[in-house]
Each structure stands twice: as C-alpha cells, then as structure tokens.
Amino acid sequence: MKCIVIDDERIAREGLNQFIKEFDFLENMGCFSNAHLALEKLKTETIDLIFLDIQMPLFNGLEFAKMIIDMPSMIIFTTAYSEFALKGYKVNALDYLLKPIFFDDFKASVLKAKKMYDLMLRQEDIMKPLFFKENGILVKVPLTQILYIQSMQNYIEIHLENRKRIIVHHTLKSILNQLPKEYFSQIHKSYIVNTKYITHIDGVTLYLKEINLPIARNRKEGLLRILLSE
C-alpha cells in the first residue's frame, strides 16, 4: 500500500516513518509538513493510505479530509486532541490514533487498513467486466449491471439493469464459469441470476424487481443457503 504522512511536527513524521518501515506491505511515498503540500502529491499519484494530523497550519486535517473525500485514499487520523475523534469518523476516517502513538496501536490500525485494502482489491478483481462479441462488435458488459442471463440453446441473452439485452454465442454453462459465485447463481436450466437484485422468492418463483423467473426445485435449497449466508 502506498502511504503518506501529513504532520506539522518533524518528530511525529519521523516516528511514523520508522513505524511504517516495520511493515513490508507499506511503502512511504512522502512525509509532508502541511496538507497543501500533500494535496499536490495526490494530484499526481494515487495514495492508498494517509496518516493525517488534525491540528496543522493553513488548513487542518478535517478540512483536508473533506477535500479528498472522493479520492480512494483511506485515512488514519493521528492527533493529540481526543475531542476530534468523533469528527474524524464523520469524514469516513478508517481509524484514529491518539498521540503519543505506540507501536501496538499503530500496528492494529495498519492491519485494519490492510484488511480493507485487500477486500477492495478482491472486489475489483471479482467484478471485472466481461467482453462479448455481438454482431461482430466487442461489447463491454459490467457485471454489476447484469440482472439475469437466459439460455437460448447455443446462445445466451444477457438482460441488463437498463433493460438492454445482449445476445451472444455462448452456453449457459460456459458463462457461469466466468461469473463470480459470490453474486451469480443458476436457478434453472435456462437462467442465471444476479443475487444482489433478488427482491423476494415466492414458492418456485423468484422476483428481480418487476421481473419474475422460475426456480427449479432442485436448485432452490442451494440458492436459499447462499442468500441466508450473506
């Protein structure tokens, strides 16, 4: 994970830098004495984790956090002022470390950040879009937009959330092997559904918003296990 330190106190910056060196999954991309300098860094490079002081000159850490709220960087606040803790979480801070910062507390925070980082990477990998040829044209299909897929012998019809349909030369079995099992389930010999769009199940009928599809009796129990474990 690429990280930076923002703190107006030199000793604090050096201390955090030493802690960072203890973790092989952290790469310190710079230490900054104020948020303005760090903002310039963020304009040119994606930073995964920011150790951010609150009380600083020019503009404080809370103001800085609000400025970068749309960026993918995780924030761990580092401050001597405990009354700022609640405000920190209101700007989606991952964690909060009270100065003086002890190594065990720092370790707990960075392991929390690593767990979140790995989860985000896994989600990105799982939900990578698929590409299909439709009428000789390569079409990008985001998995998050797929409602369900219907078998049509040697073809499949992919039904998207925006009501668009894509027909491609594939079998249901071959497409199922390309889809993440966390989100897609075959409910019938002719249908695969995106489980995130299921609104309810009534008997052997499954509802995806206003659409209803049949569930094969021998697949219903497996589907219910998946849904109830989420």
Side-chain angles (χ1 to χ4, degrees):
M1 291 189 296
K2 293 182 178 180
C3 64
I4 60 173
V5 175
I6 310 174
D7 199 304
D8 61 328
E9 297 177 357
R10 180 182 57 81
I11 293 176
R13 294 195 301 271
E14 291 176 354
L16 288 171
N17 187 42
Q18 289 303 313
F19 284 170
I20 289 168
K21 290 179 180 178
E22 296 296 318
F23 298 89
D24 57 7
F25 59 81
L26 291 179
E27 181 182 5
N28 192 349
M29 304 303 293
C31 294
F32 303 90
S33 59
N34 63 66
H36 178 74
L37 294 172
L39 195 58
E40 294 302 311
K41 179 73 171 180
L42 291 174
K43 289 178 181 178
T44 60
E45 190 159 4
T46 299
I47 299 299
D48 304 305
L49 179 62
I50 301 173
F51 297 97
L52 179 60
D53 189 20
I54 292 179
Q55 288 291 81
M56 293 185 294
L58 299 181
F59 48 92
N60 66 40
L62 292 174
E63 293 169 333
F64 177 78
K66 290 175 183 177
M67 291 173 64
I68 65 166
I69 200 163
D70 293 329
M71 294 184 180
S73 307
M74 295 178 286
I75 294 174
I76 295 177
F77 277 122
T78 59
T79 180
Y81 298 89
S82 58
E83 67 266 25
F84 285 114
L86 184 58
K87 290 183 180 179
Y89 284 107
K90 286 182 179 178
V91 290
N92 298 323
L94 178 70
D95 211 348
Y96 174 90
L97 292 171
L98 185 63
K99 295 177 179 179
I101 299 170
F102 297 99
F103 181 76
D104 286 347
D105 294 330
F106 180 88
K107 179 180 179 181
S109 284
V110 297
L111 290 178
K112 183 178 179 181
K114 180 67 162 58
K115 185 176 180 180
M116 181 67 70
Y117 178 75
D118 289 344
L119 181 62
M120 290 188 294
L121 284 185
R122 183 168 176 269
Q123 288 294 105
E124 288 177 4
D125 186 57
I126 286 174
M127 299 306 284
K128 282 182 179 177
L130 296 179
F131 289 85
F132 299 98
K133 273 192 175 180
E134 184 185 34
N135 299 324
I137 300 172
L138 195 63
V139 179
K140 177 182 177 180
V141 180
L143 299 190
T144 53
Q145 293 181 16
I146 298 175
L147 280 176
Y148 69 97
I149 302 169
Q150 181 177 0
S151 173
M152 301 170 62
Q153 294 184 339
N154 291 326
Y155 290 84
I156 57 170
E157 189 171 54
I158 302 171
H159 295 255
L160 303 178
E161 186 185 12
N162 60 7
R163 296 179 180 271
K164 183 179 177 182
R165 295 181 297 173
I166 299 172
I167 298 175
V168 296
H169 186 65
H170 255 290
T171 63
L172 208 64
K173 182 178 179 181
S174 66
I175 192 66
L176 184 62
N177 291 334
Q178 298 180 55
L179 296 169
K181 293 179 175 59
E182 291 90 340
Y183 298 99
F184 291 89
S185 179
Q186 185 170 355
I187 61 165
H188 185 276
K189 66 179 181 180
S190 299
Y191 296 102
I192 295 170
V193 299
N194 186 337
T195 58
K196 295 301 178 183
Y197 286 108
I198 296 175
T199 57
H200 61 286
I201 297 171
D202 184 5
V204 290
T205 303
L206 176 147
Y207 293 83
L208 299 166
K209 298 187 175 182
E210 71 278 8
I211 299 164
N212 62 78
L213 300 173
I215 309 175
R217 293 185 183 277
N218 62 337
R219 294 184 182 273
K220 182 177 178 181
E221 185 177 341
L223 175 64
L224 291 176
R225 279 199 301 268
I226 293 170
L227 296 177
L228 294 173
S229 66
E230 291 183 351

